[in-house]
Amino acid sequence: MRALMMDVPLLVSRILLHAAEYHGDTAIVSRSVEGPVHRTDYATLHERARRLARALLRLGLEAGDRVGTLAWNSHRHLELYYAAGGAGLVCHTINPRLFPEQIAGIIGHAEDGVLCADLTFLPLLEGLAGRLGAVRAVIVLTDEAHMPPQPAGLPPLLCYEDLLAAEAPDYDWPELDERSACGLCYTSGTTGAPKGVLYSHRSSVLHAMACCQPDVFDLGAASVAMPVVPMFHVNAWGLPFAAPMVGAKLVMPGPRLDGASLHELMAAEGVTFSAGVPTVWMGFLDWMRETDATPGALRRVAIGGSACPRVMIERLEAMGVSVLHAWGMTETSPLGLANAPKAKHAGLDPAARLDLAARQGRPLFGASFRILDDAGRDVPRDGRSFGRLMTRGPWVASAYHGLEESAAHAEAGWFETGDVATMDADGYVSIVDRTKDVIKSGGEWISSIALENIAVSHPAVQEAAVVARPDARWGERPLLVVVLRPGASLDAEAVRAHFEGRVARWWIPETIRIVEELPHTATGKLLKARIRELYAREADNPSP
Ligand code: AMP
């Protein structure tokens, strides 16, 4: 029997309409590229997004055309999300930290019709002159007073504020198919060329609804949310859609992501919730320690993108800030797992509670997970058995843009994440490694993430990477490479001693290198392939 409920499509424009109608005077505060802090609200954002939609269509863009963005977190970037998606175009967020050749490749592959860039990124675009594919205009996200001269070899530069001023705000958002694309983001892949993930209106709205839940970001009309995670990396984890959905105040940090700048903005605006990768929180915590600052209104931070070290959770919680460890991927919108305790965990002692909090979390409703062994069988949910983590759900990619033939899933209907994981009887998943990074020593697994977490819990260690090095006797052995905190001194023996009693003896790396810095991907993850190349030659390393 067919049900008799209204078939109202889930569209991102409806989120903004709702925010403008019921939370019109709720603030959106951005640190601008030009310098000053800018203040607006949801009603004004809606008006400007409608002007922008008209301006984009006037440039000749048609349904499904891509609008590229090279921009920090700001109200203008937010307007672009809604104007492009809402008008039936696709907002293609480009990660400016990728190599210039990759950026040119992505712009060409996405066939971006227009690029919208912060002033900061104009030199980058000038370096790509002549390689911008179908781009017919570059909209500079600034006002007339800050417009730069037209550089040679680039498509015409247009002034964002002038374009908006020239349009009327009476645009009606079209009734689109909820399965049509509204966003595009390329993976920052540690190996291989970046691949495009096309988000739909439906997937973005459902994902945002999941983000707001108490056991996820816990957002409501009284929240003040600051996405530190960039809007060019998986839609800032859905916050640009989730915050307006519930009428939360939004605080956008712009280009300045150091501890001092983040803290200043947080304190001034009463930020209660923030989200970002561990590297950002490491900088923030170090700055807090040096200056004896307090976290103010900050109550909760979501940490993910790479494993959140246990010691980071410990330090934040000691300040009264609860940590939500979460797991996700570009292909999963990104949220799939979030770590909130269950009622039965209330009595856990502090060490056991931290152990639990350091896991990546439980599946959100809407994202299903399986862990398969090499033969394709589900491994037991005992918290110990490892396997390949698979996921499926309405906000998980089914294929990559332009690679529709090679569907993104390995087993029918399931997306292969490329992570190795365990799950316990309560559904808590621990990520052990990327499939290609896992260390197999004498036929047994060693988790590089577990070893890295122990290394960074040493007060003198700033960052640590563990990779497999070939070994004649054991097949592979772990090699630890560490970067020390500025001014700290420590030798390999002292690092090794720190592992004693914290992990099985045969897991302890016999080779430990202390280096100045480690290579990272454009999203701040360790570039393990490069670290192996640099340090993991068998001849240079002893057998245990
Ligand atoms: P990306 O698509 O660039 O966001 O990268 C996704 C990958 O980041 C995942 O497949 C994981 O390997 C890793 N990742 C994300 N969140 C976590 C986390 N909380 N712990 C460990 N690895 C993570």
Side-chain angles (χ1 to χ4, degrees):
M1 182 188 234
R2 202 176 158 79
L4 293 172
M5 303 307 281
M6 292 184 190
D7 198 7
V8 178
L10 303 174
L11 300 176
V12 297
S13 52
R14 291 241 157 77
I15 299 177
L16 185 54
L17 263 167
H18 175 84
E21 204 167 346
Y22 304 110
H23 306 281
D25 59 358
T26 299
I28 302 158
V29 180
S30 313
R31 183 165 346 242
S32 70
V33 170
E34 295 91 338
V37 168
H38 177 276
R39 311 188 81 83
T40 184
D41 57 31
Y42 284 122
T44 314
L45 191 89
H46 185 220
E47 187 201 307
R48 284 167 54 88
R50 286 191 289 177
R51 289 176 191 268
L52 177 58
R54 276 180 167 280
L56 292 172
L57 297 172
R58 195 177 298 284
L59 289 172
L61 296 172
E62 290 174 4
D65 282 353
R66 269 74 69 199
V67 177
T69 67
L70 273 163
W72 299 107
N73 293 7
S74 73
H75 65 290
R76 292 192 180 116
H77 206 175
L78 202 56
E79 287 158 5
L80 276 159
Y81 266 47
Y82 284 102
L89 309 172
V90 180
C91 182
H92 169 207
T93 53
I94 303 167
N95 184 340
R97 298 188 184 127
L98 291 169
F99 293 120
E101 303 70 51
Q102 286 179 317
I103 294 178
I106 284 174
I107 291 171
H109 188 264
E111 298 173 76
D112 291 332
V114 165
L115 281 180
C116 304
D118 270 331
L119 284 165
T120 333
F121 301 120
L122 281 185
L124 191 155
L125 283 178
E126 284 178 52
L128 299 178
R131 290 189 282 161
L132 291 182
V135 174
R136 67 188 79 151
V138 174
I139 301 176
V140 187
L141 302 176
T142 194
D143 53 21
E144 188 62 51
H146 294 89
M147 271 303 279
Q150 173 72 40
L154 278 192
L157 297 191
L158 305 175
C159 171
Y160 182 83
E161 291 298 335
D162 284 357
L163 286 180
L164 262 65
E167 300 293 342
D170 61 348
Y171 178 75
D172 288 330
W173 301 111
E175 187 90 348
L176 303 165
D177 177 349
E178 65 176 20
R179 288 178 175 78
S180 59
C182 64
L184 172 63
C185 180
Y186 282 73
T187 60
S188 54
T190 44
T191 51
K195 294 191 282 289
V197 179
L198 265 176
Y199 306 108
S200 65
H201 285 263
R202 175 183 155 80
S203 71
S204 304
V205 171
L206 291 174
H207 177 264
M209 288 174 116
C211 284
C212 298
Q213 296 177 90
D215 274 0
V216 190
F217 293 162
D218 191 16
L219 290 180
S223 307
V224 181
M226 178 163 92
V228 176
V229 50
M231 290 172 74
F232 55 72
H233 187 207
V234 213
N235 298 330
W237 299 355
L239 279 166
F241 299 125
M245 183 175 269
V246 293
K249 173 177 166 182
L250 259 178
V251 180
M252 304 296 227
R256 284 166 47 191
L257 305 179
D258 59 285
S261 306
L262 291 179
H263 187 267
E264 184 190 305
L265 199 57
M266 272 181 190
E269 299 301 333
V271 169
T272 60
F273 170 80
S274 186
V277 296
T279 324
V280 160
W281 298 113
M282 196 61 96
F284 181 76
L285 279 169
D286 284 351
W287 184 84
M288 300 271 286
R289 182 149 64 184
E290 280 160 27
T291 56
D292 275 337
T294 56
L298 187 66
R299 287 287 161 268
R300 188 174 175 83
V301 294
I303 305 184
S306 47
C308 175
R310 188 178 185 276
V311 61
M312 185 172 281
I313 302 176
E314 200 173 2
R315 284 174 68 187
L316 279 159
E317 296 205 339
M319 295 177 188
V321 179
S322 80
V323 171
L324 178 90
H325 192 186
W327 171 98
M329 309 181 68
T330 309
E331 292 90 333
T332 62
S333 293
L335 279 183
L337 303 167
N339 190 329
K342 296 187 176 185
K344 68 177 180 182
H345 296 134
L348 285 182
D349 65 60
R353 211 179 42 73
L354 277 174
D355 286 342
L356 181 74
R359 297 187 198 171
Q360 277 70 14
R362 287 181 278 112
L364 270 56
F365 172 75
S368 309
F369 286 85
R370 293 175 76 183
I371 300 181
L372 304 182
D373 66 15
D374 287 341
R377 288 176 308 234
D378 290 279
V379 304
R381 293 187 175 176
D382 56 10
R384 286 191 313 275
S385 306
F386 300 100
R388 294 143 55 213
L389 185 70
M390 319 287 292
T391 184
R392 78 189 295 261
W395 57 79
V396 175
S398 62
Y400 294 105
H401 174 50
L403 297 169
E404 284 76 1
E405 312 300 298
S406 60
H409 47 74
E411 316 272 332
W414 289 82
F415 172 76
E416 165 112 46
T417 64
D419 286 347
V420 177
T422 66
M423 191 189 285
D424 70 10
D426 288 320
Y428 286 85
V429 173
S430 291
I431 303 290
V432 175
D433 255 313
R434 295 290 293 163
T435 312
K436 59 187 183 314
D437 293 337
V438 84
I439 301 159
K440 225 166 174 193
S441 182
E444 302 280 350
W445 301 96
I446 294 180
S447 162
S448 67
I449 292 182
L451 294 179
E452 287 159 5
N453 278 343
I454 294 173
V456 296
S457 72
H458 192 291
V461 174
Q462 177 154 307
E463 199 179 18
V466 172
V467 294
R469 64 171 179 81
D471 182 86
R473 180 156 171 222
W474 301 102
E476 287 178 348
R477 288 294 302 156
L479 164 89
L480 169 64
V481 191
V482 295
V483 177
L484 299 182
R485 287 185 183 285
S489 69
L490 197 68
D491 63 11
E493 240 354 271
V495 179
R496 216 180 118 73
H498 186 65
F499 282 87
E500 298 285 347
R502 290 187 159 89
V503 76
R505 287 200 75 107
W506 64 275
W507 274 39
I508 302 179
E510 38 286 321
T511 324
I512 298 173
R513 298 279 165 81
I514 296 173
V515 302
E516 292 292 311
E517 61 175 346
L518 287 165
H520 293 96
T521 66
T523 47
K525 294 182 213 294
L526 289 166
L527 251 181
K528 295 255 173 128
R530 181 77 188 126
I531 296 169
R532 271 194 297 274
E533 248 169 60
L534 287 172
Y535 303 108
R537 282 183 301 267
E538 185 173 14
D540 301 345
N541 295 288
S543 204

